[in-house]
Amino acid sequence: MLNRRKFIKLSAATAAASVAMNGTLSQARELPVFGGKDFSPTTGKERKAVPSACLNCVTRCPNIVYVEDGRIVKIEGQPKSIRSEGKMCAKGQGGVNQSNDPDRILYPMKRVGKRGEGKWKRVSWDDALDEVAGRLKTLRDAGTPEKFMFHYGRMKSSTSKLVKTNFLGAYGTKTIGNHTSICEGGKWTAQELTWGKHYDTWDFDNTRYVLNFGANPLEAGTNHIPTSHRLIRALTTREVKMVTIDVRLSNTAAKSQEWLPVRPGGDLAVALAMCNVVMSEDLHKGRGEEFLKFCKVTDTAEDTLENKVKALKDNFAQYTPEWATQHSDVSASAIRRIAREFATTYPACLISYRGAVAHYNGNDTERAIQTLAAITGNIDNPGGRCLAVGPKWKYPKAKGMPKGRKLKIVDGPKGAAAIPSHHMSHNVLKMIKDGSAGRPDIYMSYMYTAVYANGDVQENIDVLKDESLIPFSVNINPFYDESAALADLILPEPPYTERWDWDDMVSPVQIPEYYIRQPAIPPMGETRDFGTVACQLAERIGIELPFKTKEEFVRMSCAKTPAVKAVGGFEYMKKHGVYHDPKAKPKYHSYRKELKAKDYEKATVILDEATGTYWDWKKAKHKSAEAAQKKGYTHSKGAYKAYVGQRIGDKVYKGFKPDKLNKSGYFEIYSGLMKEKGYNPLPTWYSIPEHEKMSDNDMILTTFKVATQIHSRSQNCKYLTELYHDNPAWINPVDAQRRGIMEGDEIKVKSEVGEITIKARVTPAVIPGVIAISHHCGHWQYGRYASGNKAPMAHDDDPDLKRMWWKGNHGAHPNWIIPNAPDPINGQLRFMDTVVQVIKI
Amino acid sequence: MTAVIASDGGDQAAGPLVELNINAEERVFLYRLLAGIFRREQSKERLEELRSSQYREALEEAGVDLGDHFFLTPIEELAEELAVEFARLFLLSPDGRIAPYESVQLPDGSGQLRGPESQAVLDYFKATGFAYQDEMNDMPDHVAVELEYMAHLVLLESCSWVNGKYDEALNAIRYQNDFFQKHLFNWVFCFLNRVNAKAECAFYSVFAELAQEFLEDELTELPEKEKQAEQLLERN
Ligand code: SF4
């Protein structure tokens, strides 16, 4: 601004003279409020702007939905959001098609032919609810509520609290399956084992270096837009260096300064070798060394720095860069160079995702990555890998919840995974088929197309079709997808643009943001928000919930949540959509907070000497302090919920509070829980057994996502599917030539569970030995835009149906050939390491 | 106008507020001046004003040296000379004119006169409540019109500061930033470089340089101003 001083006189002289331009513009009306306004390009009429939130992917960005003549016509980013800063991805904008999809289901439908045959009749809501409630009541009255299985996918925030905590809690079933193990559950478990919480955020705004193991934040991810636009800003305006380690030249790899192609599963070798470089070259000294005070590195609760450093040096000594090259194909010199750069550029942000984690050895890959960040001091610091910060909503709860009962079918077969803290949803249908742990009488699925999204599609179809295995199947869905097609009853829900929610996704600026989703238009047809349907079922069964609709639940939550209530509660949120405390400071280094004596010197709080953890024995449901001491913190069921703090030296810190596992408040590089399960407590190399046995002709299948589609719930969006509807398999020219495959040829890809036919894309953007197939495509239901197949009761009022030039060209689905095999530690579906054979047709 | 703000001395925000407002006032006239230079040929009356001692001093202080030729050449002759140069640069030239339109100059744009970019600019004006009417029937994405539009927005900002409407001032800054980023910034520097390279009269190259310097400053200052204004609003 000071530079302007020299213009002052010139400006004043101009003010006094007439040298300025004669006007061509005149102000006809007031300047509208920036952002949040839109106008019809044909009539010029202002459109109704509804502040709401996207739910096309899990990121759940605040948005503004524009309505013209009662129709949703456009969706934009919410400029007031500190998370998205008004940005929005193609998927979010394509959400406009969800509401206007001509294949939407608008009425409850009941199967009339054989299951899966496609014959339906319309039923009234009263009949549908009576039938479901009647069956649920019978099970409950018989004392077997666990025979009601609820299997959900993208159910978050208020919907989860209403349906899962309240409705299912009050009903009494704990046979609840989620979908996290087909997503990134393995990463979450590994993070729970190290720093307690499942989620991490990446502080790109403040970082000076980004090292990326298998994440693709510019195209997808659980906090996609809030992080991707910040990453682009860091790369372009601050010239931050990014290095990506990936089997494939993703768009994130392409925007990195360096792409290090890696063999599937080799990420672990690279991460271990980088730890080796840091420790052997003493690059941990300084910030890494300081952070070790908060780390558990040996089996001793409080060890000396010297011993910790020695343990790390000893553990990583075997993993030299030269050794890693043999397992990863990344050169030793590159591993050394990048490890040194990363360790000596502070702050540096270490990021990772499914590309690194969805393998047989994914658990220790993530633990090694966490360790690398820890020994360089890049944990929960500005510019580093941080503990997630999100809003804390309060919500109404039903009284007198029964003790729930459950069928042991959500964690996979006994022993299949040692610590499946996010369950094993991809094995649920297999468990139902097996039957040894019991079978549900009612299977209800919500926002989860298990049949399409899990591996081994044929097995999923066989189980879901079989009435002897699943006697009654209910699907809640706005669309006729593959799961709906195999249901007995479909309860139609409006898409997210017509629903209520409060939402709570984490914030990349470490300041919580409160936001809501509200219907931009009333639900179309007879569709009903499932939150409200759950209330109506509860009423019929005789369960008392303190609210009658989802809207009421959201309204009550706004009144109960102090931060939101203080600014005007529900009405404020309806008007503005988002709220954050403008005075809030970003939250870093929260583990360093010292507890006051009164916090841990309570009568019910004791010290667990083995771990140095203070915990509340009463909260852990022990009868006395003595009983608790005897059992110990680590072995008391659910003791993590009773965690108070961590003793380190003569102080007690907030530490790294556990989320799901009974770990201490240390950052556990050394995991006692892993040791108890028979694994090495420190990050260790595991090779992938199937890869050891590969023949010369075998290849490895890896999967990926693109920027314009969500995993499995967006192919009905015509704008997105016009952009991406076909997914040729990427194959390196070396592999293609060996098999006589040319660009565009039809090829067969075969695994132990099936085979698919797909087109080939011959490209050096994938490493030799690997074939890469994206998700999203190959639907056989989900309406005409996705699969060419019309849904029952669909309508033909969309003129674009005639312009659908990609009809008959819907790509192939890789899950037919991916077995439902888990990571043996955390249960994550191994999407990235299936052995396949590839032949030209 | 400044005095009104300055009298609000008890306000802890007065320092940055005064700074923001003075700055806005200056910027209005700079945008207008530059719009006037590129809009059309300079009339004799305008040239006389530019040659006044007050203006000469102000130009010198801003580092603008129009040279003796500009100040000493008889006014008729100067006007004629500059009109020819204006035509050679922007209207018709055997070696190709520099069409002063976003739709033509935008790198990787349509390259068409009255291309989709022209419509997008017009839509922007309309959406923000401005009516466009040009007696010369020229395009709305003319560099002078885009500069004039910025002047309007900065004026709205300045008036809002004076009236104590900080939220409206911030709103106007957001639009300035947005329009600058979405339109002017994407092509104006490229345009100005071409003018500078092609100009034979110092008059156009000197004003192209002045515009370049001022707009580069805007590029870095606008986001900064937005942040300052947000903080000011939060504090109040
Ligand atoms: S990242 Fe895209 S699809 Fe996901 S919530 Fe945000 S805008 Fe929607």
Side-chain angles (χ1 to χ4, degrees), chain A residues 580-599:
Chain A
H580 75 275
D581 176 358
K583 296 198 175 74
K585 297 263 174 302
K587 212 165 156 191
Y588 297 106
H589 301 304
S590 57
Y591 61 91
R592 289 187 191 166
K593 188 177 162 213
E594 279 180 41
L595 297 192
K596 298 206 175 81
K598 68 171 176 51
D599 296 328

Side-chain angles (χ1 to χ4, degrees), chain A residues 1-35 37 39 41 79-80 580 582-583, chain B residues 19 23 26-27 29-30 32 35-36 39 46 49 55 57-59 61-62 125-127 129-133 144-145 148-149 152 156 171 174-175 178 210 213-214 217-218 221 234:
Chain A
M1 210 178 275
L2 283 180
N3 190 25
R4 292 254 167 79
R5 289 286 160 256
K6 68 181 194 180
F7 295 137
I8 289 183
K9 265 204 185 148
L10 187 56
S11 165
T14 307
S18 65
V19 288
M21 175 184 174
N22 285 334
T24 59
L25 290 162
S26 56
Q27 199 178 2
R29 57 184 167 82
E30 263 184 29
L31 196 61
V33 176
F34 182 79
K37 291 254 176 187
F39 302 85
K80 291 183 208 148
H580 75 275
K583 296 198 175 74
Chain B
E19 182 81 0
N23 190 255
E26 287 166 20
R27 292 164 57 238
F29 293 110
L30 285 170
R32 284 187 181 170
R39 173 64 171 160
R46 281 169 176 247
E49 275 178 356
Y55 227 106
E57 204 181 306
L59 285 167
E61 195 156 310
F125 294 159
K126 276 194 201 161
F130 283 84
Y132 174 70
Q133 201 179 18
V145 184
E148 184 202 343
Y149 179 66
H152 276 286
L156 285 174
N171 197 39
R174 283 186 170 147
Y175 276 110
D178 190 59
L210 178 75
E213 195 180 343
F214 170 61
D217 201 32
E218 287 284 274
E221 287 295 337
E234 269 166 23

Side-chain angles (χ1 to χ4, degrees), chain A residues 374 414 653 665:
Chain A
K414 207 168 186 325
Y653 294 93

Side-chain angles (χ1 to χ4, degrees), chain A residues 54-61 88-89 91-92 224-226 710:
Chain A
C54 186
L55 188 57
N56 244 357
C57 90
V58 64
T59 304
R60 293 168 277 149
C61 299
M88 167 144 281
C89 74
K91 293 166 280 195
H224 173 41
I225 276 297
I710 297 126

Side-chain angles (χ1 to χ4, degrees), chain A residues 321-370:
Chain A
E322 285 71 22
W323 164 87
T325 303
Q326 294 166 30
H327 297 279
S328 65
D329 297 334
V330 180
S331 76
S333 60
I335 294 174
R336 268 203 184 86
R337 181 171 51 80
I338 301 299
R340 287 173 188 153
E341 275 179 17
F342 177 75
T344 54
T345 313
Y346 187 87
C349 191
L350 188 44
I351 71 173
S352 58
Y353 219 65
R354 284 157 57 107
V357 176
H359 296 286
Y360 176 88
N361 59 9
N363 196 73
D364 267 36
T365 303
E366 187 64 32
R367 288 209 308 139
I369 287 168
Q370 283 275 69

